[in-house]
Amino acid sequence: MNHSATAFAPASVGNIGVGFDLLGHAIDGPRDLATVRRIAEPQVRIDAIGGDIAGADTLPLDPRRNTAGGALLALREALGLPYGFALELHKGVPLGSGLGGSAASCVAALVAANALLDAPLPREALYRFALDGEAISSGSRHGDNVAPMLLGGVALATEARALRIAAPDWLHAVVVHPDQVLETRRSREVLAAPYPLADVVRQGAHLAQFLLGLQHDDADLLRDGLRDVLVEPRRAPLIPGFSAVKAAALEHGALGASISGGGPSVFAWFDARAAAERAAPAMRQAFVDAGFDARAYVTPVNAPAAEVVARSSAQPAPARAATGA
Amino acid sequence: MNHSATAFAPASVGNIGVGFDLLGHAIDGPRDLATVRRIAEPQVRIDAIGGDIAGADTLPLDPRRNTAGGALLALREALGLPYGFALELHKGVPLGSGLGGSAASCVAALVAANALLDAPLPREALYRFALDGEAISSGSRHGDNVAPMLLGGVALATEARALRIAAPDWLHAVVVHPDQVLETRRSREVLAAPYPLADVVRQGAHLAQFLLGLQHDDADLLRDGLRDVLVEPRRAPLIPGFSAVKAAALEHGALGASISGGGPSVFAWFDARAAAERAAPAMRQAFVDAGFDARAYVTPVNAPAAEVVARSSAQPAPARAATGA
C-alpha cells in the first residue's frame, strides 16, 4: 500500500488583467513538483521542501501552515481517508512573483495524492481543496491561480466553481518576471478605495468582449477586452518599469498587457507564437533598463494542466493511468 | 423617389441585471412603429406622433429633441444624403417603463429609413446613429436597449460595438410593467456612490457565468450568473412591490429576476416557455397586491429584431427586400 506519485503543476497568470480574482491561465514554463506517498499513519506530513527558487527553504513544514499540506489535510478530512500522505515538494515557480508560486505546490500535491486514492476524483472536485490550501497563504479563497493549474488553459474561478474556458490555440503569452519584491500588503491596500460605476461598467464591457473574443476566436474582440481599468491603474505605480514593459509589448503587437496576479510579473497576449517570441526580449529589456534583471517566458495560453509525471512501481499502473487525463 | 417604409422595433429588457448599461434583450410584445418617407427636401421632419401609450402626445416634434429625429439627422449627416426624411411614429412601448420606450422609436425610424437608402447599411452600422438618438433622451450613449432592438435576442452594447450574443432557444422571459412612475433622476442618483472591490468581483463572476451559460446552453451557469449585486440592491427600494415580484418569479422556478433598465419593470428568465407562462400571472399579481395594476408579457429571449413591415408600392421592392433581414 506504499504507493507514491509525482505530479507537476504549472505556473499561471492570475487575473488576466480583466478578471481580477476570477480569471487565470496556465503557463508552459516554471513548475512545482510534488511527490506524495500514501502512508499507513492517518496524518499529513511534509518530509522535505527544496527547489530552484529563492525562499524555498523558508517555507513551513507544518502542514497546517503550508498550502500543499493544508490542501491534503482538507482532502483527507473530506473523504474520511483511513490512511495518510507524506509529501516532498520541489519548488520551481518563484514565490511572490504573481505567477502562483504558492498555488502550484498545492495543486501538484493534490494531483499526486488524487492518483493514490482508491477512487480518484475528477479534476474539478479537487478545486475546493485547492482553495482550502490557497487560503493558508493568501488569507482568502481566490482560485484564479489554482483553477487554471488544475484545468489547463484559461479558467474561470468562482468561490463555488472552476471552469475551463475554451481558447484559440493561436493565442500565446509572454510573461516577464523581474527581480523585484512587491509587498503583498501594499499591493492589496491600494485596491481598498471603492470604484465609480463608470469604471465598473467599462470593465464589464471589457470582460464581456474578452470572453466573447475567446468564444469566437476573434482577436479584435480580445484586443478591446484585454484592458484593466480597475486594478492596473492602482497597482502599476508599485512596479518600477511596468509602463515601459507594457509599451514594449504593445509596440510588438500585443493584444493587451497587464500585471499577472498581484505582480510584479507582467504578461502580454499575442495572436501568434512568432509575435510573442519577438516581443519577449523587448519586454525583458524594458525591465533591465529600469534596473531589474528579469526572465521572460513564451507560452501558449492553452498551456497544459498539472499532471502526474511518475508513479512508484508498487502501484497498479493501468487502472490509475487514466485518472489524471 | 417618394418611397416609404414602415418598420417596427420591439421593446427590450435593459441591463439584464448583471450587465448594467451593457446587456439587453428584445421582447416579443410591445413595439413602436415608424413610417418614413424619402423626401426631396434635405431635412428631417416629424409629421406626427401617435400611439397607444400615455404621454405619446407630449413627445417633441422637433427632430433635434426627439430620439427618432435625432437618429435620422445623424444618419443623413454621416452619409451626406442629398434628400431628407419625413417621419411618423406610432408609439407602443410605454415611456419611462425601463423597456426602451424612447429607444424603440429611434430604432424603428432608422430601420425604416435604411430601407430607403440607395445602398442600405448592414444592421450593425446603424448602431452609432441609434446611440446618437438615444443620447437625446438619456443624455448619454447607452446602447443596452437599441442594440438588442437592432440585432434581436441578447446583445452586448459597448460605446463602439453592438454584438448579438447567441442564446439557447429554450430561454424565455417574463416582463412585468407596473403602473408606477420611477423618477429617472432618483433612479440614477442612488447609483452614484462608488462600489467596493468585493462586490465588483462578485458581479464579474456573475457576468462571466452568465455569458458562459449562454455559450454552453447551461441553465445552472445562467442561474448562478443572473444576479445583480451592484445596481439592484440600490434601486429595488425605489420600486414598491419589487421584492414580492422577484420572489414570485423565483418561487416559480426563475433562473433569476431583476429590474429591467431603469425600472420599474421587472423581468425574470426561465428555462422553458411553460415555466414562464406559469410565473407570469403570479408576478403580475404581486404588483397588484402592492397596489399597482400591471401588464405581464411572456417572450422568448431570442425575440425578433426590428424589421420592415410595409413598403410603398412606388418602391422597387425586390432590391430592397433583402436589406432588413
Side-chain angles (χ1 to χ4, degrees):
Chain A
M1 266 313 197
N2 201 15
H3 309 148
S4 88
T6 299
F8 86 88
S12 66
V13 168
N15 298 347
I16 320 187
V18 76
F20 182 76
D21 276 357
L22 294 173
L23 293 172
H25 74 83
I27 295 172
D28 189 4
R31 40 176 65 184
D32 278 13
L33 289 169
T35 298
V36 178
R37 280 186 306 125
R38 184 162 151 174
I39 57 177
E41 301 84 349
Q43 66 176 77
V44 171
R45 199 173 74 211
I46 303 179
D47 289 338
I49 304 179
D52 319 325
I53 58 152
D57 54 349
T58 69
L59 293 172
L61 290 170
D62 177 351
R64 288 162 305 182
R65 294 177 50 229
N66 179 293
T67 57
L72 295 194
L73 285 168
L75 176 73
R76 259 205 84 241
E77 187 173 343
L79 302 184
L81 299 177
Y83 50 86
F85 299 110
L87 172 63
E88 292 182 29
L89 294 173
H90 186 89
K91 302 286 300 177
V93 181
L95 296 164
S97 61
L99 301 176
S102 64
S105 294
C106 167
V107 168
L110 278 171
V111 168
N114 190 47
L116 305 179
L117 299 181
D118 295 326
L121 302 172
R123 194 54 71 89
E124 288 78 3
L126 300 179
Y127 179 59
R128 52 180 281 218
F129 308 119
L131 287 181
D132 291 335
E134 259 289 74
I136 290 175
S137 88
S138 74
S140 58
R141 297 172 69 80
H142 302 139
D144 57 322
N145 285 118
V146 296
M149 291 174 183
L150 281 166
L151 305 177
V154 181
L156 172 70
T158 72
E159 175 105 18
R161 173 184 273 145
L163 193 69
R164 177 147 182 184
I165 301 176
D169 284 328
W170 43 258
L171 272 176
H172 281 72
V174 173
V175 184
V176 187
H177 171 223
D179 286 339
Q180 284 180 17
V181 176
L182 182 59
E183 210 189 310
T184 308
R185 207 185 61 181
R186 182 111 181 79
S187 183
R188 281 265 157 193
E189 261 174 12
V190 296
L191 305 183
Y195 298 80
L197 183 61
D199 287 347
V200 175
V201 171
R202 284 177 68 201
Q203 190 87 341
H206 296 162
L207 176 58
Q209 289 172 97
F210 175 85
L211 292 170
L212 292 166
L214 290 180
Q215 179 179 349
H216 296 295
D217 289 14
D218 185 323
D220 288 334
L221 275 171
L222 287 171
R223 197 182 292 276
D224 287 348
L226 206 50
R227 300 181 193 182
D228 173 14
V229 297
L230 293 181
V231 171
E232 182 187 308
R234 299 189 185 196
R235 279 190 171 165
L238 304 179
I239 303 173
F242 173 80
S243 309
V245 177
K246 178 170 177 173
L250 296 175
E251 278 159 24
H252 284 77
L255 301 172
S258 192
I259 303 161
S260 177
S265 295
V266 177
F267 79 95
W269 275 18
F270 296 85
D271 63 4
R273 176 161 206 116
E277 281 174 348
R278 281 192 298 273
M283 291 173 66
R284 182 186 167 276
Q285 188 60 44
F287 263 134
V288 171
D289 291 346
F292 300 92
D293 196 15
R295 283 147 305 285
Y297 307 96
V298 174
T299 175
V301 166
N302 280 333
E307 197 48 88
V308 172
V309 292
R311 295 153 197 274
S312 79
S313 58
Q315 189 185 345
R320 300 273 156 73
T323 59
Chain B
M1 266 310 197
N2 200 15
H3 311 147
S4 89
T6 299
F8 86 88
S12 66
V13 168
N15 299 344
I16 319 186
V18 77
F20 182 75
D21 276 357
L22 295 173
L23 293 172
H25 74 83
I27 295 172
D28 189 6
R31 40 175 67 184
D32 277 13
L33 289 170
T35 297
V36 178
R37 280 187 305 125
R38 186 165 151 171
I39 58 177
E41 301 83 348
Q43 66 175 78
V44 170
R45 197 174 75 211
I46 303 178
D47 289 338
I49 303 178
D52 318 326
I53 58 153
D57 53 348
T58 69
L59 292 172
L61 290 170
D62 177 351
R64 289 161 304 181
R65 294 177 50 231
N66 181 294
T67 58
L72 294 194
L73 284 168
L75 176 72
R76 259 205 83 242
E77 187 173 344
L79 301 185
L81 298 178
Y83 49 84
F85 300 110
L87 172 63
E88 292 182 28
L89 293 171
H90 185 89
K91 303 286 301 175
V93 181
L95 295 165
S97 61
L99 301 177
S102 64
S105 293
C106 168
V107 169
L110 277 172
V111 168
N114 190 47
L116 306 179
L117 299 182
D118 295 325
L121 301 173
R123 194 53 71 90
E124 288 79 1
L126 301 179
Y127 179 59
R128 51 180 281 217
F129 308 119
L131 287 182
D132 291 335
E134 260 290 71
I136 291 174
S137 88
S138 73
S140 58
R141 298 173 68 82
H142 301 139
D144 57 320
N145 285 118
V146 296
M149 291 174 182
L150 281 167
L151 304 178
V154 180
L156 172 70
T158 72
E159 175 106 19
R161 176 182 272 144
L163 193 69
R164 177 146 182 183
I165 302 176
D169 283 329
W170 42 258
L171 273 177
H172 281 72
V174 174
V175 184
V176 188
H177 172 224
D179 287 339
Q180 286 179 17
V181 176
L182 182 58
E183 210 189 311
T184 308
R185 208 185 59 178
R186 183 109 181 81
S187 182
R188 281 264 158 193
E189 261 173 12
V190 296
L191 305 183
Y195 298 79
L197 183 61
D199 287 348
V200 174
V201 172
R202 284 175 68 201
Q203 190 87 342
H206 296 161
L207 176 58
Q209 289 172 98
F210 176 84
L211 292 171
L212 291 167
L214 290 179
Q215 179 180 348
H216 296 296
D217 289 15
D218 186 323
D220 288 334
L221 274 172
L222 287 170
R223 198 183 292 274
D224 287 348
L226 207 50
R227 300 180 193 183
D228 174 13
V229 296
L230 294 181
V231 171
E232 181 187 309
R234 300 189 184 194
R235 278 190 172 165
L238 305 179
I239 304 174
F242 172 80
S243 309
V245 176
K246 178 172 178 171
L250 295 175
E251 279 160 23
H252 284 77
L255 300 172
S258 191
I259 303 161
S260 177
S265 294
V266 177
F267 78 95
W269 275 19
F270 297 85
D271 62 4
R273 177 163 206 115
E277 280 173 348
R278 281 192 298 272
M283 290 174 67
R284 182 187 168 277
Q285 188 61 42
F287 264 133
V288 170
D289 292 346
F292 301 92
D293 196 14
R295 283 147 304 287
Y297 307 96
V298 174
T299 175
V301 166
N302 280 333
E307 199 47 88
V308 172
V309 292
R311 294 154 197 272
S312 80
S313 57
Q315 188 186 344
R320 299 273 155 72
T323 61

